[in-house]
Amino acid sequence: MANIFLNDLRKNYAGQEVIHGITMTIADGEFVVIVGPSGCGKSTLLRMVAGLEGISAGTIEINDKVVNDLEPRQRDIAMVFQNYALYPHMSVRENMAYGLKIAKMPKAEIDQRVAKAAAMLELEPYLDRKPRALSGGQRQRVAMGRALVREPSAFLLDEPLSNLDAKLRVQMRLQIKDLHQTTGQTMLYVTHDQVEAMTLADRLIVMNKGVAEQIATPHEVYMTPASEFVAGFIGSPAMNIFTVQVEAGVAVLPGGHRLPLAGLPADREVRLGLRPEDMEIVGDDTPGIPVVLRSVEWLGADAFGYGMIEGSDVAITLRLPGSTAAARGQRLRVAPPEGRLHLFASDTGKRL
Amino acid sequence: MRRTVFPHKLLPWLLLAPQLAITLIFFYWPAAQAFRQSVLREDPFGLSSTFVGLANFRKVLNDPAYLNAAQVTVVFSLLVAFFAMTIALFLAVQVEKIVRGKGFYRTLMIWPYAVAPAIAGMLWLFMFNPSFGTLAWPLRQLGIAWNPLLDGEQAMALVVAAATWKQISYNFLFFVAGLQAIPKSLLEAAAIDGASRRHAFWTIVFPLLTPTTFFLLVVNTVYALFDTFGIIHAVTSGGPGRSTETLVYKVYNDGFVNLIMGDSAAQSVILMVIVIALTAFQFRFIEKRVHYG
Ligand SMILES: Nc1ncnc2c1ncn2[C@@H]1O[C@H](COP(=O)(O)OP(=O)(O)OP(=O)(O)O)[C@@H](O)[C@H]1O
Ligand SMILES: [Mg+2]
């Protein structure tokens, strides 16, 4: 059981800063997901918490104790690696018992803990096998088991599911969620998969280029993204974002279309964000955005229309009902329902 | 597997001819000669020889000097293999820790391998020569009565050192490669599991190096047995007494110095059997070499 406190955490590699000051508190038992595009510093952040990377500036506290100068083994954490990092010359049982043996735990208790974890992860038939004789999913579970048996204060997981196929990933995702619910342990989980991020997290850290763009619940992140980056990164298909000119409460869209909207700021240039599902088809006499469809993907329950704002080269994605008859080349007029728009500063990208 | 088909029957043979010629002239012909001479005995003037069956072998195997050489060889080989491997492993592990100039150290480490055995021997002989060796004087200052020309154990130490020094490079290269093949994340996982560096080395790194270690054990043994002739010849010539006379050196001594061809040939044949056995052993294990992954 642990709370973790990061205070203005920074990391330099050869003079180049890759983590630019992250501050956050992770409560005991919380499931926090670090999400962001490749190279944004997710693994680096996690590895700093684990003690595998040095800290250039700032502090990390685990259970109210600064751990900056502690070795990984003194931090009472367990980690699951992306490539699992199972000891290839040891059986599954030995892999799981390795840390416990080092801790000089009595053999009976080691056996009991390994048996318990193996039962929970359905690994009993494989206990005496070497990792090379296991499938990807089984290896993944052994890696989880090796972390579980130690009953650490916190779990760190670095893209634990990214080497699995889609179906297995869903299965393991649910299993990890269950695991968190039964053990109630603090978890810090890195992924670049936004479905994993949205479904697992109590809270998300959305990272971009070494900066935490937003730290909030999945709901908040989706409904009120703190920046244009977050808005574009979370949500699939991605939010439509384009530059508009505000003139006396009316947004002038690309192509010169005028759209009166509630909640616009004073006259200036802003970035307007509209989610694909937040676009209702309206009549020709109502103000709206004229869209010329280039293609329609029908998925059953709903369909995605990809088109251009008429008279411009700005692409726009619409979510349409599954019953739609819309087809390529068709012209639609859409408008966001009241209050479903996102506005960002055109210079800083911050939410207005 | 693709098979290359040559248009002529003759062409493949022509292409192989140079290699075949070398093999025949320098390997099969001398080997055949050794077999022939090992069952013959020459008269004292070397003018005629008579067939004596296995008498030469019997004589050699009952010769205390031969048994002494066998013993010297075993001691020498074990020491060389042990030191060359432990020192190389130690250095390879240390080099991994270097942050700056890794390549430079690695290159330096490889140089001794390029030195010819006789030169390496001379180098060590000069350094430790009792009368003018640079390092002999400090040894004497330390109260060691240093004289490898008279003291058999010191002579052995000197040839072991020279032979070890030359072989460290080779082992070092293999250990460095072996260490690099071990994923970093395994050591990180061990660190998180609570293992100290030392514990992780003995429980993770060393076991994973087993295939490399085993391969090197065979290579080093073969090296110490057969490739150290130049060093022994340059440093001690098998002396003092017979304290550094290995089996290979005795073949040379009996055959080319003392001109007892029958004995020398019989010893060669015995050595050949040892090489064949070692090679077979090595192949069997390399075939079965453990692959982790
Ligand atoms: N040892 C290192 N030396 C120099 N730069 C590094 C080092 N490790 C990582 N970086 C840099 O730090 C940045 C963050 O890397 P990190 O591995 O944390 O990314 P990530 O978010 O985990 O990406 P991915 O999703 O691809 O795993 C990258 O720009 C990377 O190039
Ligand atoms: Mg990563």
Side-chain angles (χ1 to χ4, degrees):
Chain A
M1 304 293 106
N3 53 46
I4 302 173
F5 176 53
L6 314 179
N7 185 16
D8 195 27
L9 204 57
R10 288 166 194 273
K11 175 74 189 175
N12 286 343
Y13 279 121
Q16 189 144 358
E17 196 170 81
V18 295
I19 303 271
H20 308 290
I22 290 185
T23 301
M24 90 168 293
T25 307
I26 298 166
D28 187 13
E30 199 174 14
F31 199 130
V32 171
V33 174
I34 306 173
V35 67
S38 187
C40 69
K42 306 180 295 287
S43 299
T44 307
L45 180 60
L46 194 76
R47 292 164 56 82
M48 282 162 86
V49 176
L52 298 173
E53 295 281 351
I55 296 166
S56 305
T59 53
I60 298 178
E61 289 174 26
I62 298 180
N63 281 333
D64 307 315
K65 198 172 89 187
V66 176
V67 297
N68 281 34
D69 296 323
L70 295 189
E71 295 279 320
R73 62 195 155 115
Q74 297 166 305
R75 298 190 182 194
D76 192 25
I77 39 104
M79 183 156 167
V80 178
F81 292 80
Q82 177 171 0
N83 64 0
Y84 315 138
L86 301 178
Y87 311 125
H89 56 302
M90 299 183 197
S91 67
V92 169
R93 186 193 305 278
E94 288 165 334
N95 262 281
M96 293 211 258
Y98 185 74
L100 304 182
K101 272 189 200 146
I102 291 172
K104 303 230 158 42
M105 187 177 281
K107 189 159 183 323
E109 193 178 348
I110 294 181
D111 290 345
Q112 182 227 323
R113 284 206 194 182
V114 169
K116 191 174 140 204
M120 201 186 307
L121 295 163
E122 293 159 31
L123 282 172
E124 282 143 327
Y126 315 112
L127 277 176
D128 293 313
R129 285 205 201 163
K130 294 272 167 65
R132 68 169 173 279
L134 298 178
S135 73
Q138 290 160 349
R139 286 180 203 187
Q140 207 283 332
R141 294 206 297 265
V142 176
M144 293 290 302
R146 190 173 62 180
L148 265 179
V149 290
R150 304 227 344 258
E151 299 180 3
S153 326
F155 262 90
L156 311 176
L157 304 100
D158 190 355
E159 311 211 19
L161 306 184
S162 63
N163 286 345
L164 303 180
D165 68 43
K167 198 170 153 205
L168 207 52
R169 206 177 306 169
V170 174
Q171 210 176 319
M172 287 308 300
R173 196 174 75 210
L174 294 172
Q175 202 161 14
I176 289 177
K177 185 93 187 162
D178 277 351
L179 212 64
H180 176 244
Q181 248 129 36
T182 42
T183 62
Q185 256 153 342
T186 311
M187 293 204 177
L188 194 52
Y189 185 109
V190 165
T191 182
H192 58 248
D193 179 314
Q194 51 169 300
V195 180
E196 268 172 41
M198 299 295 279
T199 53
L200 287 173
D202 293 329
R203 270 195 308 156
L204 282 176
I205 310 179
V206 186
M207 284 190 57
N208 181 29
K209 298 186 183 139
V211 174
E213 295 260 343
Q214 187 168 14
I215 302 176
T217 62
H219 188 263
E220 268 175 77
V221 167
Y222 192 81
M223 300 310 285
T224 53
S227 67
E228 184 178 329
F229 171 81
V230 177
F233 188 75
I234 300 289
S236 175
M239 184 188 278
N240 302 295
I241 304 175
F242 39 84
T243 305
V244 301
Q245 202 70 40
V246 181
E247 285 172 11
V250 174
V252 181
L253 307 178
H257 312 286
R258 298 176 71 83
L259 183 65
L261 288 169
L264 286 179
D267 291 7
R268 64 188 278 196
E269 191 185 85
V270 295
R271 301 275 289 163
L272 172 65
L274 297 170
R275 293 231 180 255
E277 69 268 29
D278 290 339
M279 308 262 231
E280 286 174 349
I281 298 174
V282 294
D284 277 347
D285 42 356
T286 329
I289 309 168
V291 176
V292 181
L293 287 178
R294 285 190 312 167
S295 68
V296 175
E297 282 178 352
W298 187 75
L299 300 173
D302 45 25
F304 293 111
Y306 301 95
M308 306 296 243
I309 297 183
E310 196 176 43
S312 78
D313 55 1
V314 174
I316 191 162
T317 310
L318 314 174
R319 193 170 112 186
L320 305 166
S323 59
T324 185
R328 181 189 158 79
Q330 192 175 342
R331 187 169 169 284
L332 293 176
R333 196 172 183 80
V334 295
E338 176 103 27
R340 302 304 291 271
L341 53 92
H342 307 268
L343 294 166
F344 305 100
S346 58
D347 46 357
T348 62
K350 292 267 170 290
R351 186 178 188 87
L352 294 175
Chain B
M1 184 82 93
R2 230 191 78 181
R3 283 187 62 156
T4 311
V5 180
F6 287 100
H8 299 285
K9 286 237 156 58
L10 201 59
L11 184 60
W13 289 106
L14 268 176
L15 292 175
L16 283 174
Q19 184 63 43
L20 284 177
I22 288 172
T23 314
L24 284 174
I25 294 169
F26 290 103
F27 293 90
Y28 286 98
W29 173 248
Q33 284 296 313
F35 269 115
R36 198 176 70 84
Q37 291 196 341
S38 70
V39 291
L40 298 178
R41 181 164 298 163
E42 291 188 339
D43 67 65
F45 304 103
L47 297 175
S48 68
S49 46
T50 42
F51 179 79
V52 293
L54 294 178
N56 285 333
F57 289 93
R58 234 170 280 137
K59 183 175 159 220
V60 161
L61 289 174
N62 287 320
D63 179 2
Y66 189 78
L67 298 181
N68 169 67
Q71 197 185 341
V72 166
T73 306
V74 169
V75 171
F76 175 77
S77 305
L78 285 180
L79 287 176
V80 170
F82 177 77
F83 284 115
M85 287 173 65
T86 35
I87 296 172
L89 178 58
F90 176 77
L91 291 172
V93 171
Q94 295 306 312
V95 158
E96 285 287 293
K97 293 186 195 157
I98 295 176
V99 182
R100 216 166 299 180
K102 225 181 229 184
F104 177 71
Y105 282 99
R106 279 198 196 136
T107 314
L108 277 189
M109 288 301 307
I110 294 158
W111 277 356
Y113 194 60
V115 178
I119 310 281
M122 290 314 281
L123 204 70
W124 282 79
L125 187 60
F126 280 147
M127 282 195 296
F128 287 95
N129 183 295
S131 40
F132 58 80
T134 330
L135 295 175
W137 187 77
L139 277 179
R140 242 182 260 124
Q141 291 309 104
L142 288 174
I144 300 166
W146 178 254
N147 195 345
L149 301 186
L150 293 178
D151 184 319
E153 281 177 21
Q154 290 181 359
M156 177 61 101
L158 194 55
V159 283
V160 166
T164 301
W165 175 74
K166 232 190 95 47
Q167 188 63 8
I168 285 174
S169 301
Y170 182 90
N171 297 350
F172 173 80
L173 276 184
F174 276 86
F175 277 130
V176 164
L179 286 173
Q180 280 175 344
I182 297 176
K184 274 253 162 8
S185 58
L186 289 186
L187 294 175
E188 294 179 344
I192 287 181
D193 268 343
S196 63
R197 267 169 195 268
R198 177 183 295 264
H199 188 77
F201 179 82
W202 289 112
T203 52
I204 312 261
V205 176
F206 194 68
L208 290 180
L209 279 179
T210 312
T212 310
T213 310
F214 191 81
F215 165 76
L216 285 179
L217 185 64
V218 176
V219 170
N220 278 261
T221 313
V222 172
Y223 160 79
L225 280 175
F226 303 104
D227 283 352
T228 47
F229 174 83
I231 288 173
I232 292 176
H233 192 49
V235 179
T236 63
S237 303
R242 291 177 177 277
S243 56
T244 56
E245 188 180 63
T246 59
L247 289 173
V248 172
Y249 200 79
K250 192 165 161 51
V251 170
Y252 162 80
N253 232 358
D254 288 355
F256 295 92
V257 181
N258 301 331
L259 296 174
I260 316 170
M261 280 319 202
D263 286 10
S264 177
Q267 292 175 32
S268 307
V269 172
I270 295 171
L271 277 176
M272 209 183 315
V273 172
I274 296 176
V275 184
I276 291 169
L278 265 174
T279 313
F281 181 70
Q282 174 181 357
F283 272 118
R284 272 189 66 130
F285 275 88
I286 285 184
E287 289 291 297
K288 270 203 253 167
R289 219 166 113 183
V290 201
H291 289 283
Y292 295 119

